[in-house]
Amino acid sequence: SKEAQEAFVKERKNLEDKEVVNWSSVREWKDVKRDHPDACVVRLHSILGIKNWERPSSEHVYKGRIVGGGHNVQTTTGMKAEKDQLFGTPVPLPNMRTVLAHGIVNDFPIEVADVEGAFLTATLRGPPMYGRIPLELRPPEWADKYYDPVVKIEKALYGLPRAGFDWYHYFEQILIGFGWTPVEGFDSIYTKGKCTLAAYVDDLMMTGPQADLRKRWKEIRSVVKLKEAPKPLSEFLGIK
């Protein structure tokens, strides 16, 4: 439909504007294999969602998403990439209890926030990664020009196995730059003064004196965009 096509045009522009995928870098995969034998390739998938589907069609909102098929990342030899090329250390959810305990014991407020488009801000690390373009995402002018077109993936596109870890690494460097200290033995927990912060992928939880919280959130928001202003904890990751 026209609405679906427009949704994917918008998504493609979003990825291009954020320098996640460089569409102008399109090349034949055979040429990339020749020039970059350490490269990996993943098929890109287009996913369409229709918000308010149960309502009248006038209220439908079409949303297109382009993601990487992370279940099948291949090397230039056509073999699946080794896991150590793709993954980093996972962030354990139980560590969030450390922040809760710090806030409760000290009678500090506890606030939460979500980072908007978190993965798409982080540089993709590891071997060079290319995305294989499906037919429905290829512009008409490619029809007679490319047989197996791929584009360079520069940032942590959703669906890639290491995208979450690369975001975590990127965000940690931001925090360290602002003077936060990682807590040894507790992945994703950081302290600064009387404040403690936990980051579970793009969900953040912070506790400390109220005046300090305002300063610390302001620092973070100067670098990353939050979906909305930090709010008092009532639920986290859907858990009340």
Side-chain angles (χ1 to χ4, degrees):
S1 69
K2 177 182 177 182
E3 292 83 1
Q5 292 175 342
E6 291 175 347
F8 284 116
V9 169
K10 182 178 180 180
E11 171 68 354
R12 174 173 165 165
K13 186 177 186 303
N14 176 54
L15 295 181
E16 190 165 20
D17 290 346
K18 293 181 177 179
E19 299 180 342
V20 178
V21 176
N22 182 2
W23 298 97
S24 63
S25 69
V26 59
R27 300 181 64 191
E28 287 285 358
W29 174 235
K30 64 179 181 65
D31 295 332
V32 173
K33 290 194 295 183
R34 180 194 64 224
D35 298 339
H36 303 282
D38 60 334
C40 291
V41 67
V42 62
R43 178 178 170 80
L44 300 184
H45 295 272
S46 53
I47 300 175
L48 179 68
I50 304 178
K51 189 176 180 180
N52 303 327
W53 172 255
E54 72 283 0
R55 299 180 183 177
S57 59
S58 60
E59 298 183 37
H60 290 176
V61 178
Y62 287 75
K63 291 191 173 183
R65 289 292 179 266
I66 298 173
V67 302
H71 64 290
N72 188 23
V73 181
Q74 297 181 352
T75 66
T76 54
T77 63
M79 302 294 290
K80 278 196 172 183
E82 296 293 333
K83 288 185 178 180
D84 61 0
Q85 293 178 283
L86 305 175
F87 297 100
T89 305
V91 179
L93 181 59
N95 282 0
M96 294 298 176
R97 297 171 185 167
T98 304
V99 179
L100 290 172
H102 179 72
I104 293 171
V105 169
N106 292 283
D107 197 27
F108 288 153
I110 303 172
E111 297 181 347
V112 294
D114 293 342
V115 180
E116 183 174 311
F119 288 12
L120 305 183
T121 63
T123 299
L124 189 67
R125 302 190 300 158
M129 184 71 68
Y130 288 81
R132 179 169 276 136
I133 311 298
L135 288 173
E136 68 270 16
L137 294 179
R138 300 180 191 179
E141 58 268 25
W142 288 9
D144 299 321
K145 191 175 181 180
Y146 297 103
Y147 171 72
D148 186 15
V150 296
V151 291
K152 183 76 180 298
I153 302 175
E154 302 286 357
K155 294 187 177 179
L157 181 69
Y158 292 106
L160 298 182
R162 63 170 304 123
F165 177 73
D166 284 346
W167 150 253
Y168 168 70
H169 173 81
Y170 169 77
F171 186 62
E172 180 174 74
Q173 298 311 303
I174 290 175
L175 293 177
I176 291 174
F178 281 128
W180 289 85
T181 301
V183 178
E184 185 175 356
F186 291 85
D187 291 332
S188 81
I189 305 295
Y190 307 87
T191 61
K192 182 176 181 179
K194 295 182 179 181
C195 292
T196 302
L197 178 144
Y200 186 79
V201 192
D202 55 356
D203 292 282
L204 310 180
M205 180 189 297
M206 192 190 306
T207 185
Q210 190 65 64
D212 291 349
L213 289 183
R214 285 196 293 269
K215 295 177 183 177
R216 303 290 84 84
W217 284 122
K218 184 177 180 181
E219 291 173 347
I220 292 173
R221 297 179 80 176
S222 71
V223 181
V224 299
K225 184 178 180 180
L226 303 182
K227 292 181 180 178
E228 57 185 11
K231 56 186 179 183
L233 174 67
S234 59
E235 64 177 56
F236 191 72
L237 300 175
I239 303 172
K240 294 186 178 181

